[in-house]
Amino acid sequence: MGHAAFAASKRFAYVERPAHSAALDAAVASDGPPVVVTGDSGGGKSALLASWAARWMEAHRDDFLFQHYFGATPESASVVGFLQRLLGELKRRYDLGDEIPSQPDKLRQALPLWLAQTVGRGRIVLVLDALNQIEGDEPDRHLGFLPRRFPPHVRVVAAALPGPALDALRQRSWAEHPLPLPNAAERDRMIGRFLDTYRKTLREDLRRKLVTAAGAANPLFLRTVLEELRQFGSFEQLPARVAHYLEADSPVELFRRVLRRWQADFDAGQDLVRRALRLLWAARQGLAETECLELLGEPGQPLARLEWQPLFLATMAHLAQRAGLYAFGHEFLRRAVELEFLAAAEEQSAAHRVLADHFEAQPGMTPRKVAEWPWQLAESAEWNRLHESLQDLGLFTVLVDQAPYELLRYWLRIEPPYHLEGTYSQIVDRWREAYADAADRGRLLTRLGTFYRTAGRYAASERILRRASLEVEEAFGQDHAETASATVNLAIALQARGDYTGAEPLYRRALEIYEKALGPEHRHTASGLHNLAMLLQAKGDYAGAEPLYRRALEILEKALGPEHRDTASGLH
């Protein structure tokens, strides 16, 4: 629904550009490479894709068309959020029996396998807008999660600004469709369409000034001027107002003028515009309206909605709504706010600090708190407080389970002087106090040891996973599947640091436990065989590895079926 709402906002008062729509039609109807639309920021790429997708769906109802606008909703810019959404839609559309992987690495591996299961079941059209807005590590921003080649029945239409994503697509030889800025005739139609929507008119000489203005070649610039003019109440002063906006030499300068107008109209002695937009600028995912009211009011007394509503309605045309959170709809407004209200680094840190204080005070460990609290501390350079927050058991548990690489990024920002190993020894002590049950301690220590391995602290990972293995064995017994899993985690840690001699007997012990506890034909047994085979292969013992791989494959074919994706990969 969030993506549909974003697409609808882009189609509002849209003027068709038939040549470019026809180019997308041809690209999807052919068997050529995927196509990426390029062009200036604010030049209408998102609007073109949204309009084209709606028209294509109407004409090709049997196709499965999936639209994803990166940055349109809180999770949409993350690769994990995108993959979870796409796999979920594929699962519903094609009634796939596989479960969506919970681990990010397996999630990234799943897409080609899931798409392969849809061969022969109709055409899939993926519309991927603003690939340049993808968040994450270097591989994600270079689109490592997308298949390098899609099956023939999968057609892809994308848009991107210059950057790592577009560089990656050019290396993959995607077809590139440049979207030029609209010509004068197209701009005139855009003006007419917008004014007709609001039943407004504009004097012919002023309309010609808009059509021929240099800045108005950018559709976002033009639409912003029109938004301002439709709200302007003085007919006599309208020519001066048009000239005032058209003097701006860039979209950013135009929005600085818009900000000053908002201040004149809505501040009412409260400095409301500056305070509100500074907070919106600082928010990682955007802010809910209730959060804005709480932040702008007094402690325990949110700002009255009556005072907030006029500004909120005025800014709506330039905001993106993402699952109840509001954020800047484009970088031009964000940059204008930064230049007008946050020019000094100290002001930027102060804005982040306000949000850090707000989310730290929220009860529980909600998704909003997890997303904003440590991030705001990092952005405000509150290193002591960030260090303390990462020792919070609730926050750590959520991050290590759901976002281990994000947790690692926080730690890399504060080392030195804070040492990962020293800090997490304190966390271990807290767990021992908080969790009396050995099973709980074992699971939590396994999370910690796995995180250490992710962080490249192999020696510490081994120490913690040895302790976790003992705790799990104490809780479940020597011959339990949980004990086998803990043993495997320890073996992986040893293998990661090159200790094949230490890892091999652990893999063999885990395999014996799986066979005894679950049976020789269980898929966990296949996983144990696969793990041992991978180690032998790494040691160069191909003769020893091959029969293990073959046996694991036989088990998976019986347990899951010959067409299951885990059968294909050999992994459970």
Side-chain angles (χ1 to χ4, degrees), residues 106 109 113 523-534 548-557 560-562 564-572:
K106 288 191 174 183
Q109 297 166 8
L113 300 172
R523 57 185 188 175
H524 282 296
T525 301
S527 178
L529 288 163
H530 192 273
N531 289 332
L532 180 57
M534 289 182 69
L548 298 178
Y549 279 132
R550 291 188 181 279
R551 185 180 160 204
L553 178 59
E554 290 173 3
I555 295 171
L556 290 174
E557 285 180 330
L560 304 175
H564 195 280
R565 64 182 177 86
D566 285 346
T567 302
S569 65
L571 295 171
H572 168 57

Side-chain angles (χ1 to χ4, degrees), residues 205-529:
D205 61 322
L206 298 180
R207 181 163 173 162
R208 293 310 304 165
K209 284 185 178 180
L210 275 178
V211 169
T212 57
N218 183 296
L220 179 61
F221 184 107
L222 178 59
R223 178 165 171 168
T224 301
V225 173
L226 291 169
E227 280 284 350
E228 288 295 291
L229 295 181
R230 79 172 181 86
Q231 300 176 60
F232 190 67
S234 171
F235 179 79
E236 292 77 12
Q237 297 177 31
L238 190 59
R241 180 61 56 166
V242 170
H244 171 71
Y245 287 128
L246 295 185
E247 286 171 0
D249 58 5
S250 69
V252 172
E253 178 57 32
L254 172 64
F255 276 104
R256 295 183 76 175
R257 296 176 183 229
V258 172
L259 292 177
R260 293 165 198 157
R261 198 272 295 176
W262 288 346
Q263 285 183 295
D265 286 356
F266 305 119
D267 265 354
Q270 299 185 66
D271 197 20
L272 184 60
V273 173
R274 186 185 67 88
R275 291 165 56 217
L277 295 183
R278 279 164 59 104
L279 294 172
L280 206 57
W281 175 92
R284 180 186 188 184
Q285 295 183 334
L287 293 172
E289 188 177 5
T290 54
E291 291 171 343
C292 291
L293 296 175
E294 291 172 2
L295 286 158
L296 294 170
E298 299 298 328
Q301 183 62 47
L303 181 69
R305 192 174 296 274
L306 186 64
E307 299 177 55
W308 161 255
Q309 202 71 16
L311 172 61
F312 181 54
L313 294 175
T315 60
M316 280 291 290
H318 308 293
L319 300 181
Q321 184 179 5
R322 304 168 179 174
L325 302 178
Y326 293 91
F328 296 137
H330 46 78
E331 191 62 24
F332 297 129
L333 178 55
R334 178 180 177 82
R335 180 60 178 155
V337 169
E338 186 174 306
L339 292 172
E340 280 293 300
F341 303 141
L342 296 137
E346 295 80 6
E347 293 176 312
Q348 296 178 13
S349 294
H352 287 298
R353 199 172 299 116
V354 169
L355 292 182
D357 293 344
H358 173 79
F359 285 103
E360 183 175 357
Q362 302 303 303
M365 200 55 62
T366 64
R368 289 287 292 138
K369 184 171 182 175
V370 171
E372 295 283 353
W373 177 30
W375 191 85
Q376 296 296 344
L377 291 172
E379 292 301 306
S380 58
E382 290 277 356
W383 307 124
N384 286 336
R385 291 175 62 190
L386 178 60
H387 180 243
E388 292 170 3
S389 77
L390 296 180
Q391 295 181 59
D392 182 284
L393 298 187
L395 178 63
F396 172 79
T397 302
V398 174
L399 287 176
V400 81
D401 282 350
Q402 300 179 10
Y405 291 103
E406 182 172 321
L407 177 61
L408 179 58
R409 282 197 296 272
Y410 291 138
W411 276 113
L412 292 176
R413 292 190 71 174
I414 62 176
E415 281 197 313
Y418 307 101
H419 299 291
L420 188 60
E421 297 186 24
T423 296
Y424 280 112
S425 67
Q426 299 169 22
I427 287 184
V428 171
D429 291 339
R430 292 188 186 186
W431 276 345
R432 286 172 181 157
E433 296 172 4
Y435 299 98
D437 185 81
D440 288 336
R441 287 199 305 272
R443 294 188 183 103
L444 290 166
L445 287 168
T446 298
R447 289 176 180 147
L448 181 61
T450 303
F451 171 69
Y452 267 89
R453 189 173 71 235
T454 301
R457 269 55 169 200
Y458 299 121
S461 174
E462 178 189 342
R463 289 198 303 272
I464 295 170
L465 289 171
R466 283 191 188 280
R467 179 63 185 173
S469 180
L470 292 173
E471 297 277 7
V472 170
E473 187 170 329
E474 176 187 335
F476 295 97
Q478 292 184 347
D479 297 325
H480 196 279
E482 290 269 1
T483 302
S485 296
T487 304
V488 167
N489 282 318
L490 176 56
I492 292 172
L494 293 176
Q495 183 176 349
R497 60 185 301 203
D499 184 2
Y500 299 152
T501 302
E504 184 174 344
L506 294 175
Y507 280 131
R508 292 189 182 279
R509 183 189 171 210
L511 176 58
E512 290 174 2
I513 297 173
Y514 282 137
E515 289 178 324
K516 184 175 181 179
L518 303 174
E521 302 301 318
H522 196 277
R523 57 185 188 175
H524 282 296
T525 301
S527 178
L529 288 163

